[in-house]
Amino acid sequence: MTPKLACALRPALSALAIVSGLGAAIAASPTLEKIRSSGTLTLGYREASIPFSYLGPDQKPVGMSLDLCAAVAQRVRTELKLPELKTAFVAVNASNRIPLLQNGTVDIECGSTTNTAERQKQVAFSVATFVSQPRWLTLRASGIAEVNGLRGRTVVITQGSLNMLLAQKLNVADGLDLTILQARDHAESLLMLRTGRAAAWYEDDVLLAGARATALDPAALAFLPASSGADYYYGLMLPREDPEFKALVDGAVKAQMASGVFAKLYERWFLTPIPPAGQNLDLPMSEALQFRVTNPSDALKP
């Protein structure tokens, strides 16, 4: 082969290598091979995880996680060269979401699942798509502006909340001398706060934001500045031991972050009125999530 001919063939050979590499990745990924063979990408969604994944006014799944999964679906169409790829939806809940992912009923869970070391033994996670932080919610009229303002007060935590232990540690470490009451559920916690039986309610910020948004007078409730340093990372849940599929999903999410689309999605779902009732969670993006947007990762620590 002459040097001139070799030079002319180089672009074609490079393209062939890329196609061959893609083919190898698909073959190595049981999830991508399943999707390619069936012509369908199956998304698991939650029915009431506002604003991540829930049923909208027309009873169709909507939410920020569904929007991110739509970007994943488009990436799959492109990478597998399947313009007619179908997207199917399967409702999942806290009890069956992991089994349904493990047995292949769903290819990816588009919900609000926290990435934990224990869950990583069963499934994989995309780069973080949300960072939840436990916060204190108070009555604006109380005049309490920081955690120290709770010193010696009575506070409430919903029974069974993972934040109970953290609150107890903070109480001792900061010498707050809190009296901690437990409510049966989030509705009772909010009621105790609203009626003055508790000066503050401690829970994940996104759950508090949802409770505040559905209250009769959301403006009467206020967050105290974050102080615990505890971050809980949410991600799209994926099959374990399928690095090729994870790389594709991560690539789609990272592209949304790099292009600024992710920030616009966040504004849509967290800072403006959302269906079905036009409620506004009014939860600005935390510094922890801002960091993950510019430095995407599935790590469990900052």
Side-chain angles (χ1 to χ4, degrees):
M1 182 183 298
T2 65
K4 185 176 182 180
L5 179 58
C7 183
L9 289 176
R10 189 172 295 121
L13 292 173
S14 297
L16 179 60
I18 293 174
V19 172
S20 298
L22 174 60
I26 295 171
S29 167
T31 306
L32 289 175
E33 177 57 28
K34 170 179 172 289
I35 294 168
R36 186 194 65 76
S37 298
S38 66
T40 302
L41 171 67
T42 304
L43 309 179
Y45 70 92
R46 302 294 296 274
E47 294 183 317
S49 291
I50 299 173
F52 302 100
S53 178
Y54 64 101
L55 293 176
D58 56 0
Q59 294 301 297
K60 292 183 180 180
V62 297
M64 183 169 175
S65 293
L66 270 300
D67 285 348
L68 292 175
C69 280
V72 171
Q74 186 55 49
R75 177 67 65 97
V76 171
R77 288 189 184 92
T78 300
E79 295 294 335
L80 298 189
K81 301 186 185 306
L82 293 175
E84 302 302 320
L85 178 73
K86 299 177 181 178
T87 302
F89 298 89
V90 173
V92 301
N93 56 44
S95 299
N96 66 19
R97 56 188 169 181
I98 289 179
L100 291 180
L101 188 68
Q102 290 177 318
N103 67 21
T105 299
V106 300
D107 300 313
I108 179 172
E109 190 236 6
C110 313
S112 55
T113 302
T114 304
N115 183 356
T116 68
E118 187 63 28
R119 286 176 177 156
Q120 285 182 5
K121 298 176 183 178
Q122 305 176 75
V123 295
F125 289 87
S126 70
V127 295
T129 56
F130 185 75
V131 184
S132 177
Q133 299 172 314
R135 299 274 295 277
W136 293 101
L137 187 68
T138 64
L139 291 177
R140 193 176 300 277
S142 69
I144 300 173
E146 58 181 3
V147 176
N148 282 335
L150 296 175
R151 194 175 304 278
R153 303 285 193 108
T154 296
V155 299
V156 64
I157 297 177
T158 303
Q159 189 173 32
S161 172
L162 297 177
N163 292 309
M164 172 59 82
L165 182 59
L166 181 57
Q168 292 171 334
K169 289 181 177 179
L170 290 173
N171 189 27
V172 174
D174 296 341
L176 295 177
D177 191 28
L178 300 174
T179 297
I180 301 177
L181 302 180
Q182 293 190 64
R184 290 189 301 271
D185 52 33
H186 292 330
E188 186 178 23
S189 289
L190 180 60
L191 179 62
M192 292 176 67
L193 173 62
R194 293 300 310 277
T195 57
R197 294 170 57 195
W201 172 20
Y202 194 57
E203 188 50 83
D204 288 0
D205 54 4
V206 67
L207 296 178
L208 293 177
R212 181 180 62 175
T214 57
L216 294 177
D217 50 351
L221 301 167
F223 281 110
L224 297 186
S227 62
S228 69
D231 295 331
Y232 304 127
Y233 298 96
Y234 294 10
L236 305 177
M237 192 163 59
L238 318 168
R240 191 169 180 267
E241 297 180 351
D242 193 340
E244 290 79 16
F245 185 57
K246 174 174 165 53
L248 184 150
V249 173
D250 282 347
V253 176
K254 288 178 180 179
Q256 298 274 292
M257 292 176 169
S259 67
V261 171
F262 183 93
K264 293 179 180 179
L265 288 178
Y266 189 94
E267 181 177 358
R268 173 190 176 189
W269 291 106
F270 286 91
L271 297 173
T272 59
I274 60 176
Q279 297 152 345
N280 187 345
L281 295 183
D282 191 21
L283 186 65
M285 189 182 295
S286 66
E287 291 184 3
L289 181 54
Q290 291 177 38
F291 180 81
R292 284 301 176 94
V293 170
T294 54
N295 301 274
S297 170
D298 60 2
L300 299 182
K301 295 182 178 180

